[in-house]
């Protein structure tokens, strides 16, 4: 997946259920970030155990959804202060 250099990356630091599909993640984007999911930005979500990650991106008239599940270990979620 090639993403242009001018794309902003939004990372949801609070966990989300990865059972959500594109429509559910679009609702999360609007609620958490106040953004339009079709802006062309990349939105990243992680589950409660930090073993699963979904990325949602609008590209040329359609959504791209990428899912990664770790068999061992956990993703490192950024810490937000304040």
């Amino acid at each position: 997946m090639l993403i242009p250099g001018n794309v902003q990356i939004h990372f949801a630091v609070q966990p989300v259920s990865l059972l959500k599909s594109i429509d559910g993640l679009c609702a999360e984007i609007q609620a958490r970030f106040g953004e339009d999911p079709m802006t062309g930005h990349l939105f990243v979500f992680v589950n409660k155990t930090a073993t699963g990650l979904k990325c949602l991106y609008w590209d040329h008239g359609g959504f791209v959804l990428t899912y990664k599940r770790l068999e061992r270990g956990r993703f490192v979620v950024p810490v937000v202060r304040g």
Side-chain angles (χ1 to χ4, degrees):
M1 180 169 79
L2 297 175
I3 299 172
N6 62 342
V7 170
Q8 294 179 18
I9 299 172
H10 299 272
F11 195 102
V13 294
Q14 296 296 321
V16 67
S17 171
L18 296 187
L19 296 174
K20 294 184 180 197
S21 63
I22 291 172
D23 292 334
L25 292 175
C26 285
E28 289 287 336
I29 290 167
Q30 292 168 336
R32 291 176 186 237
F33 302 108
E35 292 278 342
D36 178 0
M38 294 188 283
T39 58
H41 300 313
L42 177 69
F43 298 92
V44 182
F45 301 92
V46 67
N47 63 354
K48 190 188 306 187
T49 60
T51 57
L53 183 117
K54 277 190 176 180
C55 298
L56 187 64
Y57 173 67
W58 177 261
D59 181 45
H60 302 293
F63 283 105
V64 177
L65 179 66
T66 305
Y67 175 58
K68 172 82 174 192
R69 184 183 74 194
L70 298 178
E71 294 298 320
R72 289 179 294 181
R74 299 184 188 283
F75 290 104
V76 177
V77 179
V79 177
V80 177
R81 301 177 205 275

